Every structure is written in structure tokens, then in C-alpha cells.
Amino acid sequence: FCQPGGWQLSRERKQPTFFVVVLTDIDSDRHYCSCLTFYEAEINLQGTKKDEIEGEVEVPGLIQPAEVFAPKSLVLVSRLDYPEIFRACLGLIYTVYVDTLNVSLESLIANLCACLVPAAGGSQKLFSLGAGDRQLIQTPLHDSLPVTGTSAALLFQQLGIQNVLSLFCAVLTENKVLFHSASFQRLSDACRALESLMFPLKYSYPYIPILPAQLLEVLSSPTPFIIGVHSVFKTDVHELLDVIIADLDGGTIKIPECIHLSSLPEPLLHQTQAALSLILHPDLEVADHAFPPPRTALSHSKMLDKEVRAVFLRLFAQLFQGYRSCLQLIRIHAEPVIHFHKTAFLGQRGLIENDFLTKVLNGMAFAGFVSERGPPYRSCDLFDELVAFEVERIKVEENNPVKMIKHVRELAEQLFKNENPNPHMAFQKVPRPTEGSHLRVHILPFPKINETRVQELIQENLAKNQNAPPASRVEKKCVVPAGPPVVSIMDKVTTVFNSAQRLEVVRNCISFIFENKTLETEKTLPAALRALKGKAARQCLTDELGLHVQQNRAILDHQQFDYIIRMMNCTLQ
């Protein structure tokens, strides 16, 4: 995983590189492995001393510059996801080595391993590894909200609105998604971004932002996945028949013919596209004006990133509106068991036929959503507030771009504040290696680290920290607001019967069936089936059928039986 392309010698002194690999253990906990790789001179590859080679006159004391360089990686494995801090820490260790600063590497490593990370909830902590550095670790306000930096905005710049929406739908409906790029860091960012757009759902299938060359056969696995591979292997991956492939550098995605990609239900699809377009291409609206205003500036990339995520938050609030009214608590102790009534939800939303939402509700991510967000008493976050209190507002703002952008920006502010709770960040300083230091001819190999010394120093540091206050924060729990009931996603287009009329239609239809009047039945059946979406009509159906049963049995011919079964099916749905 440190050398995803394989360990290879190089003819030139390459720049040090950095990227983060994500590994998932058997308990599905993630481990973030930050890898900083630099190149060392291989002076003596064949084991021959220069002076043994006959016929060459050696000038004593003159060292020949190396011609071959081998990679060496510094790897930091952590359960914590702080890529920029890990980049700075590994960079500092490399700087101390390459610039031969007067600091022991053992003490740097011990200080890093013994550093106490503050509890979540927006706390921050200044720390130093002891090489003239001042660093700040800053936890997000809510652990549940993803932290993206600028990766979501970057994904849209690389692939465009339509392609990212296709990938979003692919991941939600459990398809396989593969990224390729010439940069490992870009692969990590793209996977992080795509996963963050799914919030409040969590991705529970294999998630491997950087897949090493030796493990390419994983791409043939039967489960859905999000995987990234280096562009060197793009010819190897194009034979995959059931994988959606996104080329981050070329900005294209390839959907195989055998995959039918379900897309978001209308009108949500159109609204999401329009909102993303307003944010990412603000000039589009005024492009045709005879007197266009001066160029509208895009938000800075960190804010743009949050605005894009806010659009998806609003989308999920609309998709899952009223989900709490379809939850059934089967038991509370010891572990809550909660059931979600999918058909009731789909029926009331008018989306029984919609394969996108049906697939989402049947997926693993939604099952996790129900067990995590189902309990009526827990800590709440931005999504809970949005789905409980703001759905009406979102609906009202559909046709008013100005108000919609205002709301998106308010949400973006909250997402931004979650990642950067303290705007007045303390001054940070991390020494960097001197310019061009990797090109120096005579650098000693990276020294062996004295493990026992590191352990001693870690123990000393931990002993000092024993009196520090505990780093746990009490989660504020509250009763989860239920929000408005489930309503149809479409504005009602069908004519609204009053209930008496509906019941009359059902009664007539049933008597036509039993009187064997096929023509009349055919005419009234569609209206009767529509009527059966109402509770009173379903009650009426059972009563009516009861009246037609003599001595506990009713004899029907095939055609009659077919009509009755269709009505029953509709009722049950």
C-alpha cells in the first residue's frame, strides 16, 4: 500500500511524495495510513567495491555520485483522519533528517505517538514535536458530519455536474464505482468526496481509495465498491463489464451497457441540477443579458465545497421527508430493534413504481441509517434539524433561485463552521526542507530508529500526561424531532375525489365484477385502483367482499378472480 505501483528503482532523484491510504479492518473500522516516500541513493547495488573493479584508477577520498535511487517510505497509521496534520508531522521528520537538524528522530516520533488528541466537539490543541514547529489540531464540532476540505468541489471541477450525479446515483443503488488518475492523492480526495455526498447515509461496502497493483483482482469481486487505481492500469480495468469507470484527469465516466442506472425521481433531479449549476456556474444565468454585470466571483474553494454538499443535504431532506413516521420500535432494551415500513413510505410518497428510491431503501446504507438514526433519543445533527423543520421551506423556495441560494449558503456556513469551529486559528509553523534538498549528492541513508529509546520516551511523555484532564466529551442527547408527516413527492395532478365518491367507485366496481359485467368492470377498475390508495376505500373493499361471500365461500371464474386479486394487491401495497 506504500508503493501501490510496486517497488521500483529510479534513475533520477525524484521529489518526495505524500498520499493517504485507507485500510478497513475486520470490525469495519478505518485506519488512515499516511505515506511520505523519498528516494535514497543506492551506492552499492552489486555488492562490489568500486576499487575492486580492474582498470579504473580510483582517486582516494572521492565518492562517485549515485546513479540509482531506491524509494523509502515513512508511514503513519492512525484511526484518526487528519491528513494535513499527518502530512506536516511526516514532513517534519523528513526535514530533520534531510537537513541534518540537531534533533533526535526518536524524540520526534515519541512526541508524535504520545500526543493527546482533544475530544471531538470543536476543541483545539496546540502541540509541537520539538523541532521548532507549532501545530494545531482542530476537531470538528460533530463527529457524524463528514470533513471534506475542498475535495467535493474538486470532484465537480474534474467530472462536471452530470457525471458526478451519475456516480452519486450509482453508489446509492449499490453499483461498483472505479476512479483512475495519475495522482494517488486525487484518488483519495475523489473517494472521500463521493462518500461525503451520501451523508446522512454511510458507505458500508469495500472502500479502497488506492488499490495496489498486486491486488487488481479485487476489481472482479461480486460486491459493490468504491475503489481508486493509478492511471497506469487503465488498460487493465477497461475490460471490466459491470464497473462504472471515472477518469478524473480526463473528466469522463464510462457506464457499461449492461448497467441500468436508476436516476433521482423528478422533480428532485431537475432541482438538484439547477442548484448545482447556480453554485458552480453563477455566470450562466446572466450569460444572455445584453448588459451582463461584472463577473460574479465563485466562493473560495473551501466554501464552494460546503455549498455543493449543502445541495445534497437538502436533497436527502426532501427524499427522506417524514421517514420517522414510518419507523416502528419493536423493542428498546437491551439493543433497540427498529423496523422501517418501506411500502408505506413509498406509497405515501407516490413512489411505489420508482426504482431509484426502492433500491436505496433496500440497500445496506439505508439499513444502517435506520438503526443509527431510528432511536427516538440520541444526539442530533444538522440533518435531523433539516428534515424535521426545513422541508417546507425547501419546497417553497424551489422556484426562487435567490432564496434557494441563500438557504444553501446558510447550510454551507454551518458545514464550514463544523470543520473550522475557531476562525481565529493560532499561528502555525512547520519547518520545511530547504529548496532542492532532495537533489543533494551526498545524503546519508535514513538512520535506523532505536525502538527501545522511542518506547522509553513515549512512556515518559505518557507519565507527564497522566494528570491531563480526560479527553472525553459528554454527548448531548435529546428527543429527535419527528418533523412533518410523509407527503407525496409530486404535486397532486390526479383529480381529488371526495371520499364518498371514491367509496362509490369501489362498490360499483366490485358489484360489476360479481355480476360478470366485464366491460363496465374494465371502465371502472383504474379509478377503483386509484381510490384504494385511501384508507377508507381499503376498509370499504373488505366490507364489500365480505357481503359477497355466501356460506363462507365464493366461487369466481378466472377473469373475476384476476380482477379481485388486482384490487387486493393494490390494497396491500
Side-chain angles (χ1 to χ4, degrees), residues 110 113-114 452-466:
C113 292
T452 46
R453 179 77 189 118
V454 174
Q455 282 304 331
E456 286 166 16
L457 288 166
I458 289 179
Q459 291 310 321
E460 278 175 33
N461 282 350
L462 290 178
K464 276 184 216 158
N465 287 339
Q466 260 177 349

